[in-house]
């Protein structure tokens, strides 16, 4: 009887672990990459690049580079650049990332895009 219970437990646990493992690999493969966003207004022009990579466990590393120009008297000014490094935590149930410093919500509506708040980024690779 004890051997039957152990066998039954193994038959249930191993497939469950396999599915969990595959889901985590899919999550990692589906989110890592380079994403870009271009935005402009009457005040500035900005080009954002965000590199997403998986850290340890449910932690993700975000590397952001932004190039922008302020518009002065209707003309673009000189090019300025900023970089930012931060981390995010993944919700294991939804796949949504929450950026640690400002608690920005990062979602992946499909394999080719990402949203950070209301900004839509398209995936390059």
């Amino acid at each position: 009887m004890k051997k039957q219970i152990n066998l039954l437990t193994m038959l249930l646990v191993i497939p469950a672990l396999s599915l969990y493992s595959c889901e985590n690999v899919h999550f990692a493969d589906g989110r890592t990459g380079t994403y870009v966003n271009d935005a402009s207004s009457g005040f500035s022009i900005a080009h954002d690049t965000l590199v997403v990579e998986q850290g340890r466990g449910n932690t993700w590393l975000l590397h952001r580079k932004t190039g922008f120009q302020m518009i002065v008297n209707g003309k673009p000014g000189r090019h300025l650049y900023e970089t930012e490094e931060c981390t995010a935590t993944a919700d294991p149930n939804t796949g949504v990332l929450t950026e640690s410093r400002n608690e920005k919500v990062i979602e992946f509506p499909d394999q080719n895009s990402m949203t950070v708040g209301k900004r839509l980024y398209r995936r390059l690779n």
Side-chain angles (χ1 to χ4, degrees):
M1 178 73 170
K2 189 173 184 177
K3 285 184 181 182
Q4 287 178 338
I5 292 174
N6 286 341
L7 181 60
L8 181 60
T9 301
M10 287 178 57
L11 289 173
L12 293 173
V13 170
I14 291 174
L17 288 175
S18 297
L19 287 174
Y20 177 75
S21 169
C22 289
E23 187 175 307
N24 282 345
V25 169
H26 174 72
F27 180 77
D29 290 344
R31 288 1 186 229
T32 58
T34 302
Y35 298 83
V36 294
N37 171 278
D38 298 315
S40 63
S41 71
F43 302 102
S44 66
I45 302 167
H47 306 284
D48 234 1
T49 302
L50 192 61
V51 177
V52 179
E53 63 178 314
Q54 189 169 18
R56 292 184 169 204
N58 67 342
T59 300
W60 291 76
L61 307 174
L62 308 172
H63 312 281
R64 181 177 178 206
K65 293 182 181 181
T66 304
F68 62 97
Q69 294 173 279
M70 302 303 292
I71 296 177
V72 180
N73 297 326
K75 296 183 181 184
R78 66 185 180 108
H79 288 274
L80 302 171
Y81 303 93
E82 290 182 355
T83 61
E84 181 181 11
E85 303 284 327
C86 57
T87 59
T89 304
D91 181 315
N93 297 319
T94 64
V96 172
L97 302 179
T98 302
E99 188 262 331
S100 303
R101 187 177 314 147
N102 299 314
E103 297 191 9
K104 293 178 184 174
V105 174
I106 302 168
E107 297 180 279
F108 299 86
D110 57 50
Q111 290 291 325
N112 297 312
S113 64
M114 170 184 71
T115 59
V116 179
K118 293 182 180 180
R119 288 187 185 162
L120 178 65
Y121 287 75
R122 64 182 160 77
R123 185 178 183 159
L124 295 180
N125 64 5

